[in-house]
Amino acid sequence: MKKKAIVLLSGGLDSATTLAIAKKEGYEIYAITFNYGQKHSIELNSAKKVANFFKVKKHTIIDIDLKIVGGSLLIEDAVVDVSTQENSDIPLTYVPARNTIFLSYALAFAETLEAGAIFIGANQVDYSGYPDCREEYLKAFEKMANLATKMGISGNKIKIVAPLLHLTKDKIIKEGIKLGLDYSLTHSCYFPTKEGNACGVCDSCILRKKGFSDAKLTDPITYDKDLCS
């Protein structure tokens, strides 16, 4: 029987590359995407495209409303001037407990499907400073997962796999290219225009553009000319 993996797929560069890696490692892929009230919900279309591109076994989109919680520019209704975002250790785009919520859903799916691995595109090198993207957090969640599940206490350990954790963005991009990933299918921007173009100035856009520049490759997505000028 082919080994199974749950892959958290946002439609962004990192999660798409993570899916490509899981595919390369021979897993049967069950991708999960969340529609959680994010302003950049355009990423849901990108997730569908990436899932289709890699012919995953199943792609599930889960609706949850994190607007009820609030606490992040990504989900609150306030108008955002992306060119003057506040610089801090924890950016205003941090969504409280988001990865914990997402991983908990993934854990439930892992038990139901008897999948031994959950893949997440967390990265603590070229990232915005989110506390739930750190290695110590992922190790703690894995420990909890194997204490709190039937699979875990039965000896069928569930692994939390973060293959991009220690890679710079340019190395991530090069790995994706090597695995045949078409990055034009992905979307990284937190505050895209009505036309669907990336703003080019939010944290996510800046990291993405730097990654392609460092890799000496052309980013295939379109950026808003007015904001980038």
Side-chain angles (χ1 to χ4, degrees):
M1 185 180 294
K2 197 170 187 180
K3 58 184 181 180
K4 301 174 183 177
I6 311 299
V7 179
L8 294 179
L9 177 65
S10 69
L13 183 153
D14 290 343
S15 70
T17 307
T18 298
L19 193 155
I21 292 171
K23 187 83 171 180
K24 179 195 69 172
E25 293 183 3
Y27 285 95
E28 183 175 78
I29 306 297
Y30 294 81
I32 301 177
T33 301
F34 292 90
N35 179 22
Y36 60 93
Q38 65 270 47
K39 292 179 179 178
H40 55 302
S41 58
I42 187 174
E43 69 178 3
L44 300 176
N45 292 328
S46 293
K48 292 176 185 177
K49 292 176 183 177
V50 172
N52 288 333
F53 183 79
F54 284 106
K55 297 179 171 61
V56 304
K57 180 68 174 179
K58 187 176 181 181
H59 180 210
T60 302
I61 297 178
I62 300 172
D63 294 318
I64 54 177
D65 188 5
L66 293 186
K67 285 185 177 180
I68 295 172
V69 178
S72 170
L73 287 182
L74 293 191
I75 52 179
E76 293 181 336
D77 291 330
V79 176
V80 179
D81 182 354
V82 294
S83 64
T84 58
Q85 293 179 79
E86 179 182 335
N87 293 319
S88 64
D89 291 337
I90 307 296
L92 299 177
T93 51
Y94 164 68
V95 181
R98 179 175 60 179
N99 279 351
T100 302
I101 294 167
F102 290 178
L103 283 169
S104 295
Y105 273 90
L107 181 58
F109 271 91
E111 278 223 278
T112 302
L113 296 166
E114 297 183 343
I118 298 171
F119 280 75
I120 181 172
N123 178 273
Q124 64 177 39
V125 179
D126 287 343
Y127 81 128
S128 297
Y130 300 152
D132 53 3
C133 285
R134 296 173 299 154
E135 184 173 16
E136 59 190 305
Y137 161 74
L138 295 172
K139 286 182 176 179
F141 190 95
E142 181 179 87
K143 181 178 180 181
M144 180 280 299
N146 286 301
L147 288 171
T149 58
K150 180 180 177 180
M151 278 184 69
I153 65 172
S154 299
N156 299 315
K157 300 297 184 182
I158 299 171
K159 299 184 297 181
I160 305 298
V161 186
L164 312 183
L165 197 62
H166 301 294
L167 296 181
T168 56
K169 195 68 75 181
D170 60 310
K171 290 182 179 178
I172 292 171
I173 292 167
K174 288 178 180 178
E175 179 66 15
I177 295 293
K178 186 171 70 175
L179 296 175
L181 175 56
D182 178 0
Y183 281 112
S184 71
L185 302 177
T186 66
H187 177 88
S188 301
C189 181
Y190 290 149
F191 307 108
T193 66
K194 292 180 180 179
E195 296 74 27
N197 296 336
C199 72
V201 294
C202 69
D203 284 351
S204 188
C205 280
I206 290 170
L207 289 171
R208 178 178 175 127
K209 289 197 295 182
K210 182 179 184 299
F212 274 96
S213 176
D214 291 346
K216 295 180 171 53
L217 294 168
T218 301
D219 190 345
I221 69 169
T222 302
Y223 289 92
D224 186 275
K225 292 181 179 179
D226 293 332
L227 284 171
C228 292
S229 60

